[in-house]
Each structure stands twice: as structure tokens, then as C-alpha cells.
């Protein structure tokens, strides 16, 4: 070993070492994807969406909550403070949480955030674009609000298959009840249906007074301000709890361009049926003469119209050169009971196979129709029924029972008896039961799921962790011969699909995302009573990319003894982008080390 006796020489070597080290770190931080930080407090706020003061759930005091606006591959850090009087989880509807089920925010992956506590979500919107939303996933809380939008923009290097719009507008349409979410929860648990809502909201506002005999005076309504000749991207989410809604803008075409992260074949519609939990993006051009304002309407579908007359959401589209207020009748909806119209409309929505999305290669380069199916599940629902003296809903005769220890934690710590990998692939000839039964998925397998709706209402089903391909839907009972009708080329990829009463919908999904993922009814009454199941997808080999148990994990159930005091938790504060802050810190470290080297 050679040791120099020269102090100046050692200082020089020291400086070179540290200089190279810092340059490597700065280079690494510059190459990583940006971080964005948010501090959100979830609390009750007072609002009067239908003219009656009531307690709703706000995020940062807003109802609806703020829009989380990010770009493909950004890292999102959201510190959530729970100021409610009951536990809370936020789930990120449609965000795939690639190899990171720890951030999914449902009862099977996370312990709830206790009242008065905070918890920090950290996830990457990896290889996704499009329109999504977040909402509280426990205790029927979505019926009181707590929701907001998620916009994932394309990276600059990826072409978007339409001209940049002149503006971007998010609309939340939802059924709404004046009863609190706690009252509605008790009502559903007692076997009493939700009944018709008290109204339909658009962005948390009640209807414009289009008819004084129907809409009382004093209700605040939403006005959307636009300029003539311009084109706007309007993202519409049905964030409601049980009602399919028809969306339309008076005298304007809706050019469909995207749904739940997939670019679609661009087609004009005069109206669109949007089912519970679904999201769509339209381009709407302001090409009318602005002789007056125009109605924006969201009205219930497949209901007794005489009982639901008051339940119509109406906002106003106001041109900057408008000559007067909107007046006259609302634009006509489709025939109220015509499920054929709605089903045919759904079938017409196609994947744009030539467009790139989050990546430069075309969406259609994934040829799903040529992949061999490895697992088939025919999942049949039923209306609420009494099981062991309680009202429950089922999938394949099983009503899901959420254990006190989340499935993902039980799997991580090898805790026996929490769940069973025995969910049946078809309805079995046995009495309905309550159980914690999980689907045993095959990693990198290709699963076919057929939803068979034996209920009397439209049901929506959502799968966390994935986008699936909607390949077929029809009336009647699905059979093996139904596969001959599948769309094996350009069925749209999405995360929530509708299933009409007395009908079926078939989806295909590639199980390439390891984790435990929630498959649920989006209709909140069905979900709350047990209509959900989890899909376990385990990589049999060590996956270095699957993220480990987070340091800030909240423990509960059988792992409660591991829980640290809340005061030890990290409380992030809002910042712009991590790489900028990282460069500043590293530069300061370098200057300090530089001074040390020459002293």
C-alpha cells in the first residue's frame, strides 16, 4: 500500500473523490422522475348542495376536493391528516400502483388511518395517462364526499392523438342524499334500499332552476365559462354511489377521446351513459351562436321517471358572448328503460390501436386477442339476502368479510388463518356464506372474467392494479359459445365496466402486476354489504422491483403490537419537485466538503 506523506496531495485526492461522488448523485437525481408533495386534511365541512345545510366530507376544506394534476411517471407524495370522527383510507381509483399494493388504500392492503392521525401515501403514476379520481373507501364515506380528480398528463415526448385543447374542465356527476353517510350506512345494513336520491350534483352543486315547479329557489348551481370557437377537454366522472347517469350538453357534440387511461377511437356522441365509477374525456367545441346559455345535464337512467323527476343535475355553459340565460326544456335523454341503446353505445367505444399513450409504441401493439387464457372466472352476483341474520350481497355465493388484519400485511408476515386462496371460479351448489375467500391468480397469467348480473339494477365492477379489456357484453346468460362474439382487436382497456341487469360482461386481464388487488362493486350499497373479492398475484421469483413494506406502515389486527406512536411519524410538507431540492442539498454538501478538503 502506498501512503502519501503530502497533505496537499491527500487533500487533492479527497476533493476529487467527493467531487465525483456528488456529481454522480446530482446526475442520478436529475435522471429520476419528479416528485410532487401534498398536505391534505380530510374533515367535515358544512355545505348546502340541495339548499339544505348538511355535513359533507371535504379535502383541504374543498368539496369536491382538489385535483391532483401530474404527469406520467411522476412520484406522488400525499400526506393525509384524518380529521373525521372515524377511520379513513383514500383509494386512487384507476391508479395501478405498479408493484406497490401498499399504497392502494383499501381494507385488504392498508390498516385505516385512525381519527386524528396522519399517514403519507407515496406512489408513482407509472406508465399511465388519463382521467381518474380518488375517494374514501371505508364506512360508506363516499356518500358524503371526500372525492376529487386525478389528471395524468402525457410526457412532452409522447404525441397526443388530438390538438391541444384550449382548456381542461373536470366535472363530477353524482347522485346525492340529504341523509348523512352514517344514516345511509345503517339503512343499507338494515335491509332497506337506498331509494331514489334527493338530487343529482354537478361538481358539488345542485341544479340550475330550469323549472320553478321542480327546482326550488335558492339552490347554488355551477356555471362553466367558455369562449366561442374554442375547444375544451371535459373530463366527466360518475362519482355517485348507485345511479347510472346520462350526460349531455345542449346543442353540442361530445367527441370521445379517452376513458380511464386509454385513448379511444374518436367518435361524436350527443349524450353518454356514464355508470357508477366510470370516467370519460370529451372534446367539446364551442360552435354555437350563443343566443343564450346552454344546459349541461346529468339525469338518472333505468329508473321510474315519475319518482325521479326532481333528481336531475343541471349546470350552465356560458359563452363569453352569450345573449341571455338558458331557458326552455332540457335536451331529451334516451328512452328511460332502453338498455339496448346503452349496451350498443358501450359496444361502440373502441380502443385507438394506432395511438401511443404513456409510451411511444401504439396501444394496439399489445395484441390481447392473441394471448392464451390461463384462468376463467364466471362471477355471479345476487341482490341482498339474509345470511346468518344479516343483510349481505354476494359474488359466487360468498359475501366478503374484511379481517382485522389486512390481507397484504397477513401475507407479508405469514400470519395463518386470515384468508383462504379458495374463491370458486363459478357459483357452487351450496348456501351463501360470509367468508374471506381470495382469488389465487397466476403471475403473468391471462385471466378471463365474466360478470353475470342477477340483480335488477345496473352494477359496475372495478379492478384495482390493472386496466382490463372489455371484450363482450350481452343480455341473457353467458355460455362458452358467447366467446364467438368477443372483440379480440380493439376492445377498450379500462378499470371499471358496467353489467346490465339480466346480462353479462366479459373482460380479459394480464396479471403482470404482483400484489393483492381489490375487485369490487362500485355501487356503494352492493360493495358495503360484501360484494367484493381480492385477487392475489404473487411473483414466485424474488422481484427486486416490487416495493417493500413502507417504513410508515400502520399496523392493526394481529400486528397491533408493532404499531409505533403517531408522534414518531414523518410529516411531509408541500414542495414542488424533489430533484430541485435534491440538487440544492447536494450542492451545499459539496461546498462544505470542498472547504473541508482544503483546510
Amino acid at each position: 500500500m502506498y501512503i502519501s506523506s503530502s497533505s496537499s496531495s491527500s487533500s487533492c485526492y479527497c476533493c476529487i473523490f467527493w467531487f465525483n461522488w456528488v456529481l454522480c448523485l446530482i446526475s442520478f437525481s436529475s435522471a429520476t422522475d419528479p416528485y410532487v408533495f401534498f398536505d391534505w386534511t380530510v374533515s367535515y365541512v358544512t355545505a348546502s348542495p340541495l339548499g339544505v345545510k348538511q355535513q359533507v366530507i371535504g379535502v383541504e376544506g374543498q368539496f369536491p376536493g382538489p385535483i391532483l394534476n401530474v404527469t406520467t411517471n411522476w412520484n406522488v407524495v400525499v400526506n393525509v391528516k384524518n380529521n373525521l370522527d372515524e377511520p379513513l383510507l383514500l383509494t386512487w381509483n384507476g391508479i395501478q400502483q405498479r408493484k406497490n399494493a401498499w399504497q392502494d388504500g383499501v381494507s385488504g392492503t392498508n390498516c385505516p388511518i385512525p381519527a386524528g392521525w396522519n399517514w403519507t401515501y407515496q406512489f408513482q403514476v407509472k406508465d399511465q395517462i388519463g382521467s381518474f379520481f380518488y375517494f374514501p373507501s371505508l364506512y360508506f364515506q363516499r356518500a358524503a364526499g371526500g372525492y376529487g380528480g386525478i389528471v395524468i398528463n402525457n410526457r412532452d415526448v409522447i404525441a397526443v392523438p388530438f390538438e391541444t385543447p384550449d382548456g381542461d374542465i373536470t366535472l363530477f356527476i353524482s347522485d346525492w342524499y340529504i341523509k348523512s353517510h352514517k344514516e345511509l350506512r345503517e339503512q343499507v345494513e338494515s335491509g332497506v334500499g337506498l331509494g331514489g336520491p334527493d338530487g343529482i350534483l354537478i361538481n358539488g352543486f345542485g341544479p340550475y332552476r330550469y323549472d320553478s315547479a321542480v327546482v326550488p329557489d335558492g339552490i347554488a348551481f355551477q356555471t362553466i365559462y367558455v369562449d366561442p370557437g374554442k375547444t375544451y377537454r371535459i373530463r366527466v366522472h360518475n362519482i355517485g354511489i348507485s345511479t347510472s347517469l346520462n350526460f349531455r350538453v345542449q346543442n353540442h357534440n361530445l367527441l370521445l377521446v379517452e376513458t380511464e387511461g386509454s385513448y379511444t377511437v374518436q367518435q361524436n356522441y350527443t349524450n353518454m351513459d356514464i355508470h357508477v365509477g366510470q370516467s370519460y374525456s370529451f372534446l367539446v367545441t364551442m360552435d354555437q351562436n350563443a343566443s343564450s346559455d346552454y344546459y349541461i345535464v346529468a339525469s338518472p337512467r333505468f329508473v321510474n321517471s315519475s319518482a325521479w323527476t326532481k333528481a336531475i343535475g343541471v349546470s350552465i355553459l356560458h359563452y363569453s358572448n352569450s345573449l341571455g340565460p338558458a331557458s326552455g326544456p332540457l335536451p331529451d335523454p334516451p328512452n328511460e328503460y332502453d338498455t339496448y341503446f346503452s349496451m350498443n353505445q358501450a359496444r361502440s367505444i373502441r380502443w385507438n390501436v394506432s395511438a401511443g399513450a404513456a409510451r411511444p409504441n401504439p396501444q394496439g401493439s399489445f395484441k390481447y386477442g392473441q394471448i392464451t387464457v390461463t384462468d376463467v372466472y364466471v362471477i355471479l352476483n345476487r341482490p341482498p339476502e339474509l345470511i346468518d341474520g344479516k343483510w349481505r350481497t354476494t359474488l359466487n355465493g360468498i359475501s366478503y368479510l374484511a379481517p382485522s388484519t389486512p390481507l397484504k400485511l397477513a401475507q407479508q408476515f405469514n400470519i395463518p388463518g386470515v384468508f383462504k386462496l379458495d374463491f370458486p371460479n363459478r357459483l357452487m351448489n351450496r348456501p351463501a356464506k360470509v367468508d374471506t375467500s381470495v382469488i389465487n391468480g397466476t403471475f403473468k397469467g391471462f385471466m378471463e372474467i365474466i360478470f353475470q348480473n342477477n340483480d335488477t339494477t345496473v352494477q359496475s365492477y372495478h379492478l384495482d392494479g390493472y386496466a382490463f379489456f372489455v371484450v363482450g357484453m350481452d343480455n341473457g346468460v353467458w355460455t362458452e359459445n358467447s366467446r364467438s362474439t368477443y372483440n379480440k382487436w380493439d376492445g377498450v382497456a379500462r378499470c371499471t365496466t358496467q353489467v346490465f341487469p339480466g346480462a353479462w360482461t366479459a373482460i380479459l386481464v394480464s396479471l403482470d402486476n404482483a400484489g393483492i388487488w381489490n375487485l369490487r362493486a362500485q355501487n356503494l350499497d352492493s360493495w358495503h354489504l360484501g360484494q367484493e373479492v381480492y385477487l392475489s398475484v404473487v411473483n414466485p421469483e424474488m422481484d427486486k422491483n416490487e416495493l417493500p413494506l413502507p417504513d410508515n406502515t400502520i399496523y392493526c389486527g394481529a400486528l397491533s403490537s408493532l404499531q409505533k406512536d403517531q408522534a414518531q411519524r414523518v410529516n411531509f410538507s408541500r414542495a414542488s419537485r424533489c430533484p430541485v431540492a435534491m440538487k440544492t442539498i447536494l450542492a451545499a454538501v459539496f461546498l462544505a466538503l470542498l472547504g473541508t478538503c482544503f483546510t
Side-chain angles (χ1 to χ4, degrees):
M1 179 181 290
Y2 173 75
I3 301 175
S4 171
S5 60
S6 168
S7 62
S8 61
S9 176
S10 63
S11 296
C12 180
Y13 284 120
C14 168
C15 291
I16 291 171
F17 170 78
W18 286 113
F19 180 74
N20 288 331
W21 179 78
V22 172
L23 277 182
C24 285
L25 285 178
I26 291 176
S27 174
F28 173 77
S29 69
S30 299
T32 58
D33 296 301
Y35 279 70
V36 286
F37 294 78
F38 302 91
D39 277 319
W40 285 355
T41 297
V42 180
S43 62
Y44 295 117
V45 296
T46 300
S48 305
L50 294 176
V52 178
K53 281 188 177 182
Q54 61 182 121
Q55 186 174 261
V56 305
I57 297 176
V59 180
E60 285 296 278
Q62 301 174 39
F63 170 68
I67 292 175
L68 201 160
N69 196 318
V70 295
T71 296
T72 300
N73 293 346
W74 281 17
N75 297 282
V76 180
V77 182
V78 186
N79 181 34
V80 176
K81 173 68 181 300
N82 178 12
N83 270 4
L84 303 179
D85 58 356
E86 54 189 5
L88 168 74
L89 283 175
L90 290 184
T91 192
W92 317 89
N93 202 76
I95 304 303
Q96 292 174 15
Q97 308 289 3
R98 300 295 299 177
K99 301 182 180 181
N100 192 16
W102 300 112
Q103 308 297 324
D104 203 27
V106 287
S107 67
T109 59
N110 298 86
C111 293
I113 307 169
W117 283 38
N118 73 286
W119 194 71
T120 303
Y121 293 87
Q122 182 168 337
F123 56 88
Q124 186 179 27
V125 288
K126 181 70 173 173
D127 293 334
Q128 288 191 263
I129 55 94
S131 310
F132 309 97
F133 58 88
Y134 59 87
F135 67 90
S137 62
L138 302 178
Y139 300 111
F140 229 77
Q141 290 164 355
R142 194 174 86 211
Y147 53 77
I150 303 173
V151 173
I152 307 180
N153 304 289
N154 284 68
R155 293 174 290 165
D156 292 338
V157 295
I158 307 297
V160 177
F162 47 84
E163 293 295 321
T164 303
D166 297 295
D168 200 301
I169 299 165
T170 295
L171 297 179
F172 301 102
I173 58 177
S174 64
D175 48 14
W176 190 256
Y177 295 80
I178 293 176
K179 287 182 178 179
S180 72
H181 72 279
K182 296 176 183 178
E183 292 173 305
L184 291 173
R185 184 173 71 208
E186 292 175 0
Q187 183 173 311
V188 167
E189 290 172 351
S190 68
V192 179
L194 286 170
D198 296 300
I200 303 296
L201 305 189
I202 300 180
N203 279 0
F205 289 94
Y208 171 78
R209 201 178 190 198
Y210 66 94
D211 185 338
S212 59
V214 175
V215 182
D217 195 12
I219 294 179
F221 59 88
Q222 171 100 83
T223 299
I224 304 297
Y225 295 90
V226 296
D227 292 319
K230 293 188 175 181
T231 297
Y232 296 82
R233 182 173 182 170
I234 301 182
R235 305 172 192 261
V236 188
H237 309 276
N238 184 341
I239 194 67
I241 64 173
S242 68
T243 308
S244 298
L245 298 171
N246 181 266
F247 176 80
R248 53 201 185 274
V249 180
Q250 186 180 28
N251 293 358
H252 291 74
N253 283 324
L254 308 172
L255 181 65
L256 179 65
V257 294
E258 178 257 335
T259 178
E260 297 163 21
S262 286
Y263 289 125
T264 63
V265 173
Q266 295 178 19
Q267 301 178 77
N268 274 312
Y269 296 87
T270 56
N271 61 78
M272 177 64 70
D273 282 346
I274 306 180
H275 305 277
V276 178
Q278 291 187 328
S279 302
Y280 289 94
S281 277
F282 306 100
L283 295 182
V284 182
T285 300
M286 305 305 145
D287 55 5
Q288 298 301 299
N289 60 18
S291 58
S292 68
D293 292 341
Y294 299 94
Y295 295 123
I296 300 172
V297 181
S299 59
R301 294 283 278 139
F302 319 118
V303 295
N304 185 330
S305 57
S306 62
W308 289 57
T309 304
K310 63 179 181 179
I312 297 178
V314 184
S315 290
I316 293 298
L317 183 71
H318 176 81
Y319 282 41
S320 56
N321 62 340
S322 175
L323 300 178
S327 60
L330 300 177
D332 290 333
N335 185 300
E336 204 62 61
Y337 300 100
D338 189 358
T339 58
Y340 290 96
F341 168 88
S342 191
M343 186 178 290
N344 287 333
Q345 185 184 70
R347 288 174 178 146
S348 74
I349 300 169
R350 300 299 178 100
W351 208 28
N352 186 337
V353 296
S354 62
R359 295 181 175 182
N361 52 305
Q363 293 181 138
S365 60
F366 185 80
K367 301 185 187 303
Y368 69 87
Q370 299 178 14
I371 302 174
T372 301
V373 170
T374 58
D375 300 280
V376 179
Y377 280 79
V378 180
I379 298 180
L380 183 143
N381 70 9
R382 286 204 295 248
E385 57 188 302
L386 281 171
I387 304 176
D388 298 332
K390 293 184 178 181
W391 287 100
R392 306 289 299 186
T393 55
T394 60
L395 295 175
N396 281 0
I398 299 176
S399 185
Y400 179 76
L401 175 65
S404 59
T405 306
L407 310 180
K408 183 67 175 167
L409 280 173
Q411 185 184 68
Q412 174 75 18
F413 287 87
N414 296 314
I415 300 174
V418 174
F419 65 91
K420 293 171 285 187
L421 291 170
D422 64 350
F423 188 83
N425 60 5
R426 279 173 171 74
L427 178 67
M428 300 181 72
N429 185 21
R430 64 186 184 189
K433 65 177 182 176
V434 177
D435 204 354
T436 310
S437 182
V438 173
I439 296 174
N440 189 9
T442 303
F443 182 65
K444 293 191 176 178
F446 199 62
M447 184 175 286
E448 177 184 10
I449 301 176
I450 299 95
F451 297 104
Q452 184 77 53
N453 185 2
N454 274 23
D455 209 332
T456 57
T457 60
V458 178
Q459 296 286 324
S460 299
Y461 291 95
H462 173 91
L463 177 60
D464 285 348
Y466 298 97
F468 51 70
F469 298 93
V470 183
V471 294
M473 59 178 67
D474 206 349
N475 291 296
V477 177
W478 181 89
T479 67
E480 303 282 337
N481 293 331
S482 301
R483 292 194 178 104
S484 64
T485 67
Y486 282 7
N487 176 358
K488 294 187 176 182
W489 168 241
D490 61 357
V492 71
R494 62 187 314 162
C495 56
T496 302
T497 188
Q498 70 273 44
V499 191
F500 294 95
W504 58 266
T505 295
I507 66 172
L508 297 173
V509 57
S510 177
L511 302 182
D512 61 350
N513 190 15
I516 288 184
W517 305 107
N518 187 227
L519 174 61
R520 62 176 176 267
Q522 290 281 52
N523 300 54
L524 196 52
D525 48 350
S526 299
W527 182 13
H528 182 73
L529 292 181
Q531 212 168 94
E532 65 176 318
V533 64
Y534 281 82
L535 169 63
S536 175
V537 182
V538 177
N539 186 347
E541 301 176 0
M542 182 62 68
D543 189 345
K544 295 180 180 178
N545 293 321
E546 187 171 357
L547 295 178
L549 177 75
D551 292 337
N552 66 339
T553 295
I554 294 176
Y555 296 97
C556 55
L559 298 170
S560 296
S561 61
L562 299 180
Q563 180 56 47
K564 297 177 182 178
D565 185 77
Q566 170 72 167
Q568 300 177 30
R569 307 185 118 8
V570 176
N571 192 352
F572 288 93
S573 58
R574 191 175 283 106
S576 54
R577 296 188 180 185
C578 189
V580 175
M582 182 68 77
K583 290 177 189 177
T584 304
I585 293 168
L586 292 173
V589 170
F590 173 69
L591 290 174
L593 291 170
L594 195 65
T596 302
C597 288
F598 288 101
T599 56

